[in-house]
Amino acid sequence: MEYPHLMDFIAAWFPDADLMGFETDEVVVKRYREVTPAEEVQKSLDELDDMLSKDTLPLELIDDRAWRTFDHQEEAREWLTTIRNALASPV
């Protein structure tokens, strides 16, 4: 699976988060949720759940889209779980 909604979200919001004044990843997700239709947020969440259910994450894809470097699977999984929890939390 390519994860188009999730990868668009990550690529659009996380690389420039510090330039936009967002201090934490949770703040990035909060701002995303404020301006994004609920259906799109749900698509990103569904794709994220699917990705996290896999034994191996597409580290190169995640690194590229987020402009971050994850040294191992568990580090990326922890970051994605933080994003997932923020996406799924009540508004």
Side-chain angles (χ1 to χ4, degrees):
M1 179 178 220
E2 295 287 322
Y3 307 108
H5 297 281
L6 176 61
M7 290 300 112
D8 285 350
F9 159 53
I10 289 174
W13 287 82
F14 287 95
D16 294 327
D18 57 336
L19 298 175
M20 294 184 282
F22 301 153
E23 303 84 26
T24 66
D25 292 332
E26 290 85 359
V27 171
V28 172
V29 174
K30 181 179 182 228
R31 298 285 189 232
Y32 166 74
R33 290 178 59 185
E34 288 174 353
V35 300
T36 304
E39 313 80 55
E40 289 300 311
V41 172
Q42 187 60 50
K43 288 176 186 177
S44 293
L45 183 59
D46 291 344
E47 290 177 8
L48 184 51
D49 284 340
D50 182 68
M51 181 185 287
L52 287 169
S53 75
K54 309 292 185 208
D55 291 332
T56 303
L57 300 173
L59 279 183
E60 188 174 307
L61 179 63
I62 298 165
D63 286 355
D64 179 61
R65 296 305 191 280
W67 288 14
R68 296 176 186 216
T69 301
F70 297 102
D71 294 324
H72 49 80
Q73 291 281 316
E74 193 54 40
E75 184 180 13
R77 190 171 298 279
E78 288 173 15
W79 182 72
L80 290 171
T81 299
T82 298
I83 303 308
R84 189 245 173 260
N85 291 342
L87 277 173
S89 68
V91 178

